[in-house]
Amino acid sequence: DRLYAKFDAIARKHDVFKVETIGDAYMAVANLVKEQSNHTELIAKFALEAVSTANETMIMEDRPELGNVNIRVGFHSGPVVSSVVGNMNPRFCLFGDTVNTSSRME
């Protein structure tokens, strides 16, 4: 949670929208909830700062010998479809080739 809280702050700073976290994946998008002509720049800056922040975050604070977190990122630009899915536990989801491609790029 320490790292995801930092990612949330970075997302707010760069005005990108956090969609969800799935396991160790953090999905964020730009140009979805509002028009952002510089969406590529926003998401790229978010990604670079996320990598830098992860590299500064210890895996376990009480075991510094384990080192710091290393992450890989992937991003892609293109169309998506979004919807709230489910009745019992509704959640916001993105669908499309753009989502699939970016998830494989990491």
Side-chain angles (χ1 to χ4, degrees):
D1 192 47
R2 291 180 295 121
L3 186 57
Y4 284 159
K6 292 177 183 180
F7 287 171
D8 290 346
I10 297 167
R12 284 188 295 276
K13 175 182 173 183
H14 294 288
D15 201 19
V16 301
F17 179 73
K18 174 187 171 183
V19 177
E20 63 185 338
T21 56
I22 304 172
D24 64 348
Y26 186 99
M27 184 186 296
V29 298
N31 203 37
L32 179 69
V33 295
K34 65 181 177 180
E35 190 170 329
Q36 297 168 301
S37 61
N38 63 337
H39 57 91
T40 306
E41 178 184 352
L42 293 172
I43 208 72
K45 287 182 176 180
F46 166 80
L48 290 170
E49 190 168 344
V51 170
S52 175
T53 298
N55 290 338
E56 296 168 0
T57 303
M58 286 190 285
I59 293 171
M60 293 180 69
E61 292 179 319
D62 58 342
R63 304 236 355 244
E65 71 275 8
L66 294 177
N68 294 350
V69 176
N70 287 302
I71 65 169
R72 297 174 300 174
V73 299
F75 64 92
H76 185 60
S77 180
V80 296
V81 174
S82 62
S83 181
V84 176
V85 176
N87 293 318
M88 195 160 146
N89 294 313
R91 62 179 216 165
F92 182 76
C93 296
L94 295 179
F95 304 95
D97 289 339
T98 302
V99 177
N100 298 334
T101 300
S102 63
S103 69
R104 289 186 183 98
M105 290 176 71
E106 88 169 274

